[in-house]
Amino acid sequence: MLNEPVTALKGIGEKFAADLAEMDIHTVEDVLFHFPYRYDIFELKPLNELIHEDKVTIEGRIVHEPSLNFYGKKKSRLSFTIEVEEIAVKAVMFNRAFAKKQLHIGDTVTLTGKWDAHRLQITVSNFKKGPADQQASIQPVYSVKGDVTSYKVKKAVRTALQTYKDELNELLPEVYLESYKLPGRREAIAVMHFPENRVQLKHARRRFIYEEFLLFQLKMQLLRKWNRESTEGNAQYYDLERIKEFIDSFPFELTEAQQKALNQILTDMKSPYRMSRLLQGDVGSGKTAVAEVCLYASITAGKQGALMVPTEILAEQHFQSLQETFGERASIVLLTGSVKGKKRREMLAKVENGEIDIVVGTHALIQDDVYFRDLGFAIVDEQHRFGVEQRRVLREKGLNPDVLFMTATPIPRTLAITAFGDMDVSVINEMPSGRKEIETYWAKENTFERILQFIGQRVHEGEQ
């Protein structure tokens, strides 16, 4: 069985087993899945393809008798010149005094080591007399500790493969292996430890990367299902006819991508589970229109809505935009840190007794003195600007409101949040007709003045 202790393998005694335990290798399975952390590939390349400070392999003929110098305590430096492609390359070997007797003028040698492109010099780590093998040889390098060496690990792996190969059962369904052209598990493990060529190794690694991600996602989806079904939800019984009338009042038609995203969100709102969804789309793709329809849907279900944004300027822009869109259909207030005193107290009282339908604001929305009568739907714009703790507080303001996160930039943190199964994702991947294509530029510091002039010109022309 693969879960047998490492001592079940021939050649592994108590001392070696104790050393392996230090590396967190306890079972036969641990040995098989202790993959190399890198591979040294000994492959001849022309000099002009060698990269400075890379580990390289070159072949040439010795043109000067090697000279040996001693320094320090028992330290030595052996240097000689070889001719490669009619170019003189200097070779340096440290603490290999014995090689002086083996290397002579006229010998062909194959050297592996660190390449210095500026000096045309190689610091040799391995050498052999004679020409290089025509096929690239690939040597696995393992992460080891203490008395354990790569050689010992390799030997243990070979024994484990020979003895237990029939117990390496396939995890992935046949249809996945065929669809993605992945090698079988048994074959892939053997290749990871003993690759014959780069292509074989590439496919074996691809297989285990795929397997790891698939198992990770399955676990995350199961956890998400448990979490989703164990938290109290917020089924919203909205009025579909009023929502259609509201959409018809827009001076434009929703694109197919907007309609698809809207349907996904409305389906979530109707479900008894709490929604946690990311709405992603480029600037100008119409995320705000979708968000407005969802806010209105929540109002028709007798709930309140909240829109939280990172800055006061953005909050004001959204507030004005929502007022124009909703008109008499909803009462909307702007709540930011600059709203103080009596005005703030009156506003908070109206939010608490349900007179206010939609509250727009910055993180001031989630401060202790803000209470909603029944918060059903919360939107967080540019969600990566908010911490997990702030979002948790927002959720606790109401009866587990459905939460929609919006972003135009799928930055690593957003991607991590979606990868960890915290959110469902809706993407608006289509621009409304007549919209120009978005152009993104990377501006460096030396163009800063030009950028300021460009912005100044656009603002002067009444644009944003």
Side-chain angles (χ1 to χ4, degrees):
M1 296 287 287
L2 293 178
N3 58 4
E4 285 186 51
V6 288
T7 46
L9 292 170
K10 191 181 174 187
I12 297 187
E14 294 300 327
K15 169 74 175 79
F16 190 18
D19 289 342
L20 288 173
E22 286 289 306
M23 293 162 54
D24 208 20
I25 296 174
H26 307 280
T27 65
V28 173
E29 187 170 26
D30 293 340
V31 170
L32 289 169
F33 283 89
H34 184 68
F35 292 145
Y37 76 94
R38 70 177 167 86
Y39 298 85
D40 283 342
I41 300 176
F42 302 106
E43 180 181 25
L44 275 189
K45 285 184 178 176
L47 286 183
N48 62 0
E49 286 182 23
L50 302 183
I51 295 168
H52 180 59
E53 295 199 328
D54 259 13
K55 192 169 190 176
V56 302
T57 300
I58 59 174
E59 176 196 302
R61 188 173 59 85
I62 298 176
V63 290
H64 288 298
E65 194 64 40
S67 78
L68 179 64
N69 299 311
F70 288 93
Y71 64 97
K73 263 193 177 180
K74 298 181 183 174
K75 289 183 178 176
S76 68
R77 172 191 165 104
L78 183 69
S79 51
F80 53 97
T81 304
I82 64 170
E83 186 189 350
V84 184
E85 302 165 26
E86 299 183 352
I87 293 170
V89 172
K90 188 174 183 186
V92 180
M93 266 195 258
F94 291 98
N95 308 322
R96 307 274 182 93
F98 63 86
K100 172 89 167 83
K101 293 177 183 174
Q102 299 175 4
L103 302 172
H104 308 288
I105 291 180
D107 287 349
T108 296
V109 287
T110 302
L111 310 174
T112 297
K114 190 175 177 182
W115 177 243
D116 186 330
H118 309 312
R119 295 179 176 180
L120 285 179
Q121 177 177 306
I122 183 168
T123 305
V124 182
S125 54
N126 291 77
F127 78 95
K128 80 171 187 109
K129 287 182 74 170
D133 300 324
Q134 285 317 298
Q135 179 143 7
S137 99
I138 303 175
Q139 293 299 325
V141 182
Y142 294 90
S143 170
V144 291
K145 265 187 190 174
D147 294 336
V148 182
T149 61
S150 259
Y151 172 74
K152 283 182 173 179
V153 174
K154 213 169 174 180
K155 200 174 169 188
V157 169
R158 200 184 291 278
T159 308
L161 271 172
Q162 286 166 350
T163 317
Y164 291 88
K165 66 178 179 193
D166 293 336
E167 293 185 30
L168 288 166
N169 299 321
E170 185 55 70
L171 288 183
L172 302 180
E174 193 68 39
V175 64
Y176 286 15
L177 296 176
E178 285 174 16
S179 299
Y180 300 112
K181 296 185 171 53
L182 300 170
R185 203 161 192 249
R186 193 180 300 168
E187 175 199 337
I189 286 176
V191 170
M192 288 295 287
H193 294 288
F194 305 105
E196 287 175 18
N197 55 60
R198 285 177 191 244
V199 174
Q200 211 185 34
L201 178 60
K202 179 184 164 188
H203 288 303
R205 289 175 77 166
R206 197 168 62 87
R207 186 238 140 82
F208 284 113
I209 290 167
Y210 179 81
E211 181 182 305
E212 195 174 324
F213 272 124
L214 181 68
L215 292 176
F216 171 74
Q217 269 305 320
L218 288 172
K219 286 175 192 169
M220 290 314 306
Q221 294 306 320
L222 184 61
L223 271 174
R224 195 166 153 273
K225 185 178 186 309
W226 284 344
N227 287 338
R228 197 169 175 223
E229 292 177 9
S230 65
T231 51
E232 202 176 327
N234 175 27
Q236 303 200 49
Y237 303 103
Y238 45 75
D239 186 329
L240 206 52
E241 286 308 311
R242 284 170 67 189
I243 293 171
K244 282 176 181 168
E245 282 173 25
F246 183 60
I247 293 170
D248 290 340
S249 71
F250 287 174
F252 52 82
E253 276 192 24
L254 295 183
T255 63
E256 272 184 42
Q258 282 175 306
Q259 284 171 346
K260 184 181 172 187
L262 181 59
N263 290 338
Q264 288 170 338
I265 298 165
L266 290 175
T267 303
D268 279 358
M269 288 171 72
K270 210 185 324 185
S271 86
Y273 306 118
R274 190 177 66 201
M275 178 182 85
S276 185
R277 185 172 281 277
L278 175 73
L279 180 62
Q280 189 187 307
D282 272 335
V283 175
S285 63
K287 295 188 297 295
T288 308
V290 172
E292 286 170 346
V293 176
C294 298
L295 278 173
Y296 186 65
S298 198
I299 291 168
T300 68
K303 307 274 185 181
Q304 289 169 295
L307 171 57
M308 187 157 79
V309 293
T311 64
E312 291 205 7
I313 291 174
L314 206 52
E316 259 171 65
Q317 286 177 350
H318 274 299
F319 175 61
Q320 287 167 11
S321 163
L322 287 177
Q323 279 190 316
E324 286 169 23
T325 307
F326 279 84
E328 299 296 311
R329 291 185 178 87
S331 56
I332 307 167
V333 292
L334 175 65
L335 179 62
T336 61
S338 52
V339 179
K340 291 184 172 72
K342 187 183 174 189
K343 186 181 177 186
R344 182 181 175 87
R345 286 194 299 275
E346 285 174 358
M347 191 183 287
L348 293 180
K350 286 181 178 179
V351 171
E352 192 172 353
N353 67 26
E355 284 180 56
I356 302 296
D357 295 315
I358 299 171
V359 184
V360 182
T362 55
H363 61 273
L365 277 183
I366 57 172
Q367 286 171 355
D368 290 344
D369 60 345
V370 185
Y371 294 97
F372 292 85
R373 183 182 63 79
D374 188 358
L375 179 60
F377 195 81
I379 298 170
V380 180
D381 197 13
E382 290 301 329
Q383 61 87 22
H384 50 266
R385 302 274 291 270
F386 291 94
V388 172
E389 187 62 21
Q390 288 168 306
R391 296 205 296 268
R392 184 186 65 75
V393 174
L394 178 67
R395 285 203 186 104
E396 290 174 356
K397 286 284 172 195
L399 187 69
N400 292 312
D402 288 326
V403 184
L404 181 69
F405 304 97
M406 298 202 300
T407 185
T409 44
I411 62 163
R413 175 164 163 185
T414 313
L415 296 174
I417 289 168
T418 55
F420 281 103
D422 282 1
M423 296 185 191
D424 292 308
V425 185
S426 292
V427 180
I428 301 179
N429 53 6
E430 173 189 0
M431 293 302 247
S433 60
R435 285 278 173 140
K436 287 182 186 171
E437 196 176 320
I438 300 291
E439 290 182 355
T440 306
Y441 293 94
W442 175 26
K444 296 189 183 181
E445 247 175 284
N446 58 359
T447 60
F448 191 60
E449 286 301 319
R450 274 173 56 199
I451 298 296
L452 286 180
Q453 284 171 11
F454 173 80
I455 292 170
Q457 182 64 32
R458 288 289 179 269
V459 171
H460 182 66
E461 289 170 12
E463 295 179 23
Q464 288 182 329

